[in-house]
Amino acid sequence: LRTEERQRLARERREEREKQHAAKETQILEKERKAKLQYEKQLEERQRKLKEQKQKEEQRRAAVEEKRKQKIEEEKERYEAAMHRTLERSQRLETRQKRWSWGGSVTPDSESKTASKRSTSTASLKQTEAVMNKRLSSSAALLNASDRTRRSQVSPLDSSVISRLLAPTQASLARSKSAATLSAD
């Protein structure tokens, strides 16, 4: 009887241990399952965040690229406008030079002709200038001499009017000299 009782008690204890062991095992399995689910959720969340970050980065890159292209386009437009203005200025300058030059427009075929025209025109200008200077000096001498004789006859008001009338002639001669010098250059 005692041995049977002992065997029964041992069997009950064994069964109890097995039950506890099975319960522990199910708890462990449940914990592992929950941990696995949480890990998968975290992994999915991380992947989602990485995807969003990638999209934001791509959008930012696209915006930066668009800005860069826009800047390049604006720079190109500014450059073209500057080139256009420069061309217009140079064309205006060419037309002005053609207007004031003695030989007209300079083309590669007529460069030697214009060079010879320039040299002859500068020589004739120098001769004309020398003649003008002589005439001016002689007319100034005559004016001074006639002024001395007329001073007694002309009032101070009239003499100032006469000197004013003579001044534009000298100025126009100076202008024609400078125009001739510019065209000779």
Side-chain angles (χ1 to χ4, degrees):
L1 195 75
R2 275 184 166 180
T3 54
E4 279 180 21
E5 188 71 24
R6 276 189 219 151
Q7 284 175 351
R8 189 179 59 80
L9 285 174
R11 201 178 345 164
E12 283 177 2
R13 277 185 254 145
R14 214 177 320 141
E15 285 174 0
E16 190 65 34
R17 267 187 266 143
E18 283 175 2
K19 280 182 186 176
Q20 285 176 355
H21 184 69
K24 278 184 184 177
E25 213 169 282
T26 54
Q27 280 179 348
I28 289 171
L29 285 173
E30 187 63 29
K31 278 184 183 177
E32 283 178 359
R33 190 182 65 79
K34 283 182 180 177
K36 191 177 181 183
L37 281 174
Q38 189 157 355
Y39 175 74
E40 286 173 357
K41 276 185 182 177
Q42 286 175 348
L43 197 65
E44 284 175 7
E45 185 69 22
R46 198 176 299 148
Q47 285 176 346
R48 188 182 60 79
K49 282 182 180 177
L50 281 171
K51 204 174 191 178
E52 285 176 1
Q53 194 174 1
K54 237 181 192 179
Q55 285 177 343
K56 283 180 185 177
E57 188 68 25
E58 284 176 9
Q59 287 174 349
R60 190 185 65 78
R61 275 196 204 123
V64 166
E65 184 66 23
E66 186 62 33
K67 255 187 190 177
R68 189 183 66 80
K69 283 181 181 177
Q70 199 172 13
K71 261 189 184 178
I72 288 172
E73 191 63 33
E74 286 172 1
E75 288 292 322
K76 187 179 176 185
E77 286 173 7
R78 260 189 246 132
Y79 176 75
E80 285 175 356
M83 288 298 292
H84 185 69
R85 284 193 303 267
T86 306
L87 283 172
E88 281 181 354
R89 278 189 210 128
S90 64
Q91 285 174 352
R92 274 190 244 134
L93 278 173
E94 281 179 20
T95 54
R96 279 187 202 150
Q97 287 173 351
K98 285 177 187 175
R99 235 184 276 151
W100 292 104
S101 68
W102 290 95
S105 66
V106 177
T107 59
D109 299 336
S110 64
E111 273 188 33
S112 58
K113 293 176 187 175
T114 54
S116 63
K117 282 182 184 177
R118 281 187 191 142
S119 61
T120 56
S121 64
T122 51
S124 64
L125 274 175
K126 287 178 183 174
Q127 290 171 353
T128 313
E129 189 178 320
V131 171
M132 283 183 180
N133 283 336
K134 285 179 186 175
R135 285 185 184 169
L136 278 174
S137 60
S138 64
S139 63
L142 284 173
L143 279 174
N144 286 338
S146 65
D147 270 349
R148 287 183 204 131
T149 56
R150 288 185 190 168
R151 274 196 189 145
S152 59
Q153 298 169 356
V154 180
S155 69
L157 181 65
D158 290 338
S159 66
S160 68
V161 170
I162 291 170
S163 64
R164 275 195 209 141
L165 286 172
L166 288 173
T169 309
Q170 292 169 352
S172 65
L173 286 173
R175 275 197 303 275
S176 65
K177 279 183 192 176
S178 66
T181 309
L182 281 174
S183 65
D185 288 345

mmCIF file with all atom_site columns, all heavy atoms in Angstrom, residues 164-180:
data_model
loop_
_atom_site.group_PDB
_atom_site.id
_atom_site.type_symbol
_atom_site.label_atom_id
_atom_site.label_alt_id
_atom_site.label_comp_id
_atom_site.label_asym_id
_atom_site.label_entity_id
_atom_site.label_seq_id
_atom_site.pdbx_PDB_ins_code
_atom_site.Cartn_x
_atom_site.Cartn_y
_atom_site.Cartn_z
_atom_site.occupancy
_atom_site.B_iso_or_equiv
_atom_site.pdbx_formal_charge
_atom_site.auth_seq_id
_atom_site.auth_comp_id
_atom_site.auth_asym_id
_atom_site.auth_atom_id
_atom_site.pdbx_PDB_model_num
ATOM 1   N N   . ARG A 1 164 ? 31.934 138.368 -80.116 1.00 0.00 ? 164 ARG A N   1
ATOM 2   C CA  . ARG A 1 164 ? 31.014 137.233 -79.971 1.00 0.00 ? 164 ARG A CA  1
ATOM 3   C C   . ARG A 1 164 ? 30.717 136.595 -81.323 1.00 0.00 ? 164 ARG A C   1
ATOM 4   O O   . ARG A 1 164 ? 30.602 135.380 -81.430 1.00 0.00 ? 164 ARG A O   1
ATOM 5   C CB  . ARG A 1 164 ? 29.699 137.669 -79.335 1.00 0.00 ? 164 ARG A CB  1
ATOM 6   C CG  . ARG A 1 164 ? 29.750 137.697 -77.842 1.00 0.00 ? 164 ARG A CG  1
ATOM 7   C CD  . ARG A 1 164 ? 28.353 137.769 -77.271 1.00 0.00 ? 164 ARG A CD  1
ATOM 8   N NE  . ARG A 1 164 ? 28.381 138.460 -76.004 1.00 0.00 ? 164 ARG A NE  1
ATOM 9   C CZ  . ARG A 1 164 ? 27.483 139.303 -75.570 1.00 0.00 ? 164 ARG A CZ  1
ATOM 10  N NH1 . ARG A 1 164 ? 26.438 139.591 -76.316 1.00 0.00 ? 164 ARG A NH1 1
ATOM 11  N NH2 . ARG A 1 164 ? 27.591 139.886 -74.408 1.00 0.00 ? 164 ARG A NH2 1
ATOM 12  N N   . LEU A 1 165 ? 30.558 137.412 -82.339 1.00 0.00 ? 165 LEU A N   1
ATOM 13  C CA  . LEU A 1 165 ? 30.278 136.895 -83.684 1.00 0.00 ? 165 LEU A CA  1
ATOM 14  C C   . LEU A 1 165 ? 31.462 136.118 -84.240 1.00 0.00 ? 165 LEU A C   1
ATOM 15  O O   . LEU A 1 165 ? 31.291 135.173 -84.997 1.00 0.00 ? 165 LEU A O   1
ATOM 16  C CB  . LEU A 1 165 ? 29.894 138.033 -84.635 1.00 0.00 ? 165 LEU A CB  1
ATOM 17  C CG  . LEU A 1 165 ? 28.500 138.632 -84.437 1.00 0.00 ? 165 LEU A CG  1
ATOM 18  C CD1 . LEU A 1 165 ? 28.336 139.867 -85.306 1.00 0.00 ? 165 LEU A CD1 1
ATOM 19  C CD2 . LEU A 1 165 ? 27.434 137.611 -84.766 1.00 0.00 ? 165 LEU A CD2 1
ATOM 20  N N   . LEU A 1 166 ? 32.664 136.484 -83.864 1.00 0.00 ? 166 LEU A N   1
ATOM 21  C CA  . LEU A 1 166 ? 33.852 135.784 -84.347 1.00 0.00 ? 166 LEU A CA  1
ATOM 22  C C   . LEU A 1 166 ? 34.081 134.456 -83.611 1.00 0.00 ? 166 LEU A C   1
ATOM 23  O O   . LEU A 1 166 ? 34.641 133.527 -84.174 1.00 0.00 ? 166 LEU A O   1
ATOM 24  C CB  . LEU A 1 166 ? 35.090 136.673 -84.189 1.00 0.00 ? 166 LEU A CB  1
ATOM 25  C CG  . LEU A 1 166 ? 35.171 137.857 -85.151 1.00 0.00 ? 166 LEU A CG  1
ATOM 26  C CD1 . LEU A 1 166 ? 36.350 138.741 -84.782 1.00 0.00 ? 166 LEU A CD1 1
ATOM 27  C CD2 . LEU A 1 166 ? 35.299 137.366 -86.576 1.00 0.00 ? 166 LEU A CD2 1
ATOM 28  N N   . ALA A 1 167 ? 33.651 134.350 -82.380 1.00 0.00 ? 167 ALA A N   1
ATOM 29  C CA  . ALA A 1 167 ? 33.886 133.151 -81.570 1.00 0.00 ? 167 ALA A CA  1
ATOM 30  C C   . ALA A 1 167 ? 33.283 131.877 -82.178 1.00 0.00 ? 167 ALA A C   1
ATOM 31  O O   . ALA A 1 167 ? 33.962 130.862 -82.238 1.00 0.00 ? 167 ALA A O   1
ATOM 32  C CB  . ALA A 1 167 ? 33.382 133.366 -80.147 1.00 0.00 ? 167 ALA A CB  1
ATOM 33  N N   . PRO A 1 168 ? 32.050 131.860 -82.660 1.00 0.00 ? 168 PRO A N   1
ATOM 34  C CA  . PRO A 1 168 ? 31.507 130.616 -83.226 1.00 0.00 ? 168 PRO A CA  1
ATOM 35  C C   . PRO A 1 168 ? 32.300 130.125 -84.429 1.00 0.00 ? 168 PRO A C   1
ATOM 36  O O   . PRO A 1 168 ? 32.419 128.928 -84.635 1.00 0.00 ? 168 PRO A O   1
ATOM 37  C CB  . PRO A 1 168 ? 30.084 130.958 -83.624 1.00 0.00 ? 168 PRO A CB  1
ATOM 38  C CG  . PRO A 1 168 ? 29.733 132.139 -82.806 1.00 0.00 ? 168 PRO A CG  1
ATOM 39  C CD  . PRO A 1 168 ? 31.017 132.873 -82.580 1.00 0.00 ? 168 PRO A CD  1
ATOM 40  N N   . THR A 1 169 ? 32.866 131.000 -85.191 1.00 0.00 ? 169 THR A N   1
ATOM 41  C CA  . THR A 1 169 ? 33.658 130.590 -86.352 1.00 0.00 ? 169 THR A CA  1
ATOM 42  C C   . THR A 1 169 ? 34.860 129.774 -85.895 1.00 0.00 ? 169 THR A C   1
ATOM 43  O O   . THR A 1 169 ? 35.153 128.719 -86.452 1.00 0.00 ? 169 THR A O   1
ATOM 44  C CB  . THR A 1 169 ? 34.126 131.834 -87.137 1.00 0.00 ? 169 THR A CB  1
ATOM 45  O OG1 . THR A 1 169 ? 33.000 132.652 -87.384 1.00 0.00 ? 169 THR A OG1 1
ATOM 46  C CG2 . THR A 1 169 ? 34.775 131.450 -88.432 1.00 0.00 ? 169 THR A CG2 1
ATOM 47  N N   . GLN A 1 170 ? 35.525 130.251 -84.860 1.00 0.00 ? 170 GLN A N   1
ATOM 48  C CA  . GLN A 1 170 ? 36.677 129.524 -84.344 1.00 0.00 ? 170 GLN A CA  1
ATOM 49  C C   . GLN A 1 170 ? 36.249 128.181 -83.740 1.00 0.00 ? 170 GLN A C   1
ATOM 50  O O   . GLN A 1 170 ? 36.917 127.171 -83.926 1.00 0.00 ? 170 GLN A O   1
ATOM 51  C CB  . GLN A 1 170 ? 37.407 130.378 -83.299 1.00 0.00 ? 170 GLN A CB  1
ATOM 52  C CG  . GLN A 1 170 ? 38.071 131.608 -83.915 1.00 0.00 ? 170 GLN A CG  1
ATOM 53  C CD  . GLN A 1 170 ? 38.553 132.590 -82.864 1.00 0.00 ? 170 GLN A CD  1
ATOM 54  O OE1 . GLN A 1 170 ? 38.265 132.432 -81.688 1.00 0.00 ? 170 GLN A OE1 1
ATOM 55  N NE2 . GLN A 1 170 ? 39.272 133.613 -83.312 1.00 0.00 ? 170 GLN A NE2 1
ATOM 56  N N   . ALA A 1 171 ? 35.103 128.154 -83.067 1.00 0.00 ? 171 ALA A N   1
ATOM 57  C CA  . ALA A 1 171 ? 34.605 126.904 -82.469 1.00 0.00 ? 171 ALA A CA  1
ATOM 58  C C   . ALA A 1 171 ? 34.248 125.896 -83.551 1.00 0.00 ? 171 ALA A C   1
ATOM 59  O O   . ALA A 1 171 ? 34.541 124.701 -83.432 1.00 0.00 ? 171 ALA A O   1
ATOM 60  C CB  . ALA A 1 171 ? 33.391 127.180 -81.581 1.00 0.00 ? 171 ALA A CB  1
ATOM 61  N N   . SER A 1 172 ? 33.619 126.375 -84.626 1.00 0.00 ? 172 SER A N   1
ATOM 62  C CA  . SER A 1 172 ? 33.247 125.441 -85.694 1.00 0.00 ? 172 SER A CA  1
ATOM 63  C C   . SER A 1 172 ? 34.495 124.881 -86.375 1.00 0.00 ? 172 SER A C   1
ATOM 64  O O   . SER A 1 172 ? 34.525 123.721 -86.771 1.00 0.00 ? 172 SER A O   1
ATOM 65  C CB  . SER A 1 172 ? 32.327 126.108 -86.711 1.00 0.00 ? 172 SER A CB  1
ATOM 66  O OG  . SER A 1 172 ? 33.018 127.150 -87.383 1.00 0.00 ? 172 SER A OG  1
ATOM 67  N N   . LEU A 1 173 ? 35.550 125.703 -86.489 1.00 0.00 ? 173 LEU A N   1
ATOM 68  C CA  . LEU A 1 173 ? 36.812 125.206 -87.042 1.00 0.00 ? 173 LEU A CA  1
ATOM 69  C C   . LEU A 1 173 ? 37.410 124.132 -86.132 1.00 0.00 ? 173 LEU A C   1
ATOM 70  O O   . LEU A 1 173 ? 37.911 123.107 -86.601 1.00 0.00 ? 173 LEU A O   1
ATOM 71  C CB  . LEU A 1 173 ? 37.810 126.358 -87.232 1.00 0.00 ? 173 LEU A CB  1
ATOM 72  C CG  . LEU A 1 173 ? 37.524 127.296 -88.418 1.00 0.00 ? 173 LEU A CG  1
ATOM 73  C CD1 . LEU A 1 173 ? 38.472 128.486 -88.386 1.00 0.00 ? 173 LEU A CD1 1
ATOM 74  C CD2 . LEU A 1 173 ? 37.676 126.549 -89.726 1.00 0.00 ? 173 LEU A CD2 1
ATOM 75  N N   . ALA A 1 174 ? 37.334 124.351 -84.844 1.00 0.00 ? 174 ALA A N   1
ATOM 76  C CA  . ALA A 1 174 ? 37.863 123.366 -83.896 1.00 0.00 ? 174 ALA A CA  1
ATOM 77  C C   . ALA A 1 174 ? 37.085 122.064 -83.999 1.00 0.00 ? 174 ALA A C   1
ATOM 78  O O   . ALA A 1 174 ? 37.663 120.976 -83.964 1.00 0.00 ? 174 ALA A O   1
ATOM 79  C CB  . ALA A 1 174 ? 37.782 123.912 -82.468 1.00 0.00 ? 174 ALA A CB  1
ATOM 80  N N   . ARG A 1 175 ? 35.750 122.169 -84.136 1.00 0.00 ? 175 ARG A N   1
ATOM 81  C CA  . ARG A 1 175 ? 34.933 120.958 -84.287 1.00 0.00 ? 175 ARG A CA  1
ATOM 82  C C   . ARG A 1 175 ? 35.293 120.205 -85.554 1.00 0.00 ? 175 ARG A C   1
ATOM 83  O O   . ARG A 1 175 ? 35.398 118.991 -85.564 1.00 0.00 ? 175 ARG A O   1
ATOM 84  C CB  . ARG A 1 175 ? 33.441 121.327 -84.308 1.00 0.00 ? 175 ARG A CB  1
ATOM 85  C CG  . ARG A 1 175 ? 32.834 121.456 -82.914 1.00 0.00 ? 175 ARG A CG  1
ATOM 86  C CD  . ARG A 1 175 ? 31.328 121.410 -82.966 1.00 0.00 ? 175 ARG A CD  1
ATOM 87  N NE  . ARG A 1 175 ? 30.710 122.424 -83.815 1.00 0.00 ? 175 ARG A NE  1
ATOM 88  C CZ  . ARG A 1 175 ? 30.422 123.669 -83.437 1.00 0.00 ? 175 ARG A CZ  1
ATOM 89  N NH1 . ARG A 1 175 ? 30.675 124.057 -82.211 1.00 0.00 ? 175 ARG A NH1 1
ATOM 90  N NH2 . ARG A 1 175 ? 29.860 124.519 -84.274 1.00 0.00 ? 175 ARG A NH2 1
ATOM 91  N N   . SER A 1 176 ? 35.473 120.908 -86.637 1.00 0.00 ? 176 SER A N   1
ATOM 92  C CA  . SER A 1 176 ? 35.799 120.225 -87.888 1.00 0.00 ? 176 SER A CA  1
ATOM 93  C C   . SER A 1 176 ? 37.190 119.582 -87.816 1.00 0.00 ? 176 SER A C   1
ATOM 94  O O   . SER A 1 176 ? 37.422 118.519 -88.350 1.00 0.00 ? 176 SER A O   1
ATOM 95  C CB  . SER A 1 176 ? 35.725 121.202 -89.084 1.00 0.00 ? 176 SER A CB  1
ATOM 96  O OG  . SER A 1 176 ? 36.712 122.198 -88.952 1.00 0.00 ? 176 SER A OG  1
ATOM 97  N N   . LYS A 1 177 ? 38.104 120.228 -87.066 1.00 0.00 ? 177 LYS A N   1
ATOM 98  C CA  . LYS A 1 177 ? 39.425 119.629 -86.862 1.00 0.00 ? 177 LYS A CA  1
ATOM 99  C C   . LYS A 1 177 ? 39.302 118.325 -86.086 1.00 0.00 ? 177 LYS A C   1
ATOM 100 O O   . LYS A 1 177 ? 39.901 117.311 -86.440 1.00 0.00 ? 177 LYS A O   1
ATOM 101 C CB  . LYS A 1 177 ? 40.349 120.578 -86.083 1.00 0.00 ? 177 LYS A CB  1
ATOM 102 C CG  . LYS A 1 177 ? 40.991 121.635 -86.915 1.00 0.00 ? 177 LYS A CG  1
ATOM 103 C CD  . LYS A 1 177 ? 41.935 122.431 -86.019 1.00 0.00 ? 177 LYS A CD  1
ATOM 104 C CE  . LYS A 1 177 ? 42.420 123.695 -86.683 1.00 0.00 ? 177 LYS A CE  1
ATOM 105 N NZ  . LYS A 1 177 ? 43.255 124.479 -85.766 1.00 0.00 ? 177 LYS A NZ  1
ATOM 106 N N   . SER A 1 178 ? 38.491 118.340 -85.001 1.00 0.00 ? 178 SER A N   1
ATOM 107 C CA  . SER A 1 178 ? 38.355 117.122 -84.198 1.00 0.00 ? 178 SER A CA  1
ATOM 108 C C   . SER A 1 178 ? 37.652 116.024 -84.969 1.00 0.00 ? 178 SER A C   1
ATOM 109 O O   . SER A 1 178 ? 38.001 114.851 -84.873 1.00 0.00 ? 178 SER A O   1
ATOM 110 C CB  . SER A 1 178 ? 37.605 117.408 -82.882 1.00 0.00 ? 178 SER A CB  1
ATOM 111 O OG  . SER A 1 178 ? 36.275 117.769 -83.168 1.00 0.00 ? 178 SER A OG  1
ATOM 112 N N   . ALA A 1 179 ? 36.664 116.384 -85.793 1.00 0.00 ? 179 ALA A N   1
ATOM 113 C CA  . ALA A 1 179 ? 35.976 115.371 -86.624 1.00 0.00 ? 179 ALA A CA  1
ATOM 114 C C   . ALA A 1 179 ? 36.957 114.777 -87.624 1.00 0.00 ? 179 ALA A C   1
ATOM 115 O O   . ALA A 1 179 ? 36.953 113.569 -87.872 1.00 0.00 ? 179 ALA A O   1
ATOM 116 C CB  . ALA A 1 179 ? 34.789 116.002 -87.339 1.00 0.00 ? 179 ALA A CB  1
ATOM 117 N N   . ALA A 1 180 ? 37.804 115.614 -88.187 1.00 0.00 ? 180 ALA A N   1
ATOM 118 C CA  . ALA A 1 180 ? 38.798 115.123 -89.145 1.00 0.00 ? 180 ALA A CA  1
ATOM 119 C C   . ALA A 1 180 ? 39.803 114.212 -88.450 1.00 0.00 ? 180 ALA A C   1
ATOM 120 O O   . ALA A 1 180 ? 40.201 113.175 -88.985 1.00 0.00 ? 180 ALA A O   1
ATOM 121 C CB  . ALA A 1 180 ? 39.511 116.308 -89.791 1.00 0.00 ? 180 ALA A CB  1
#
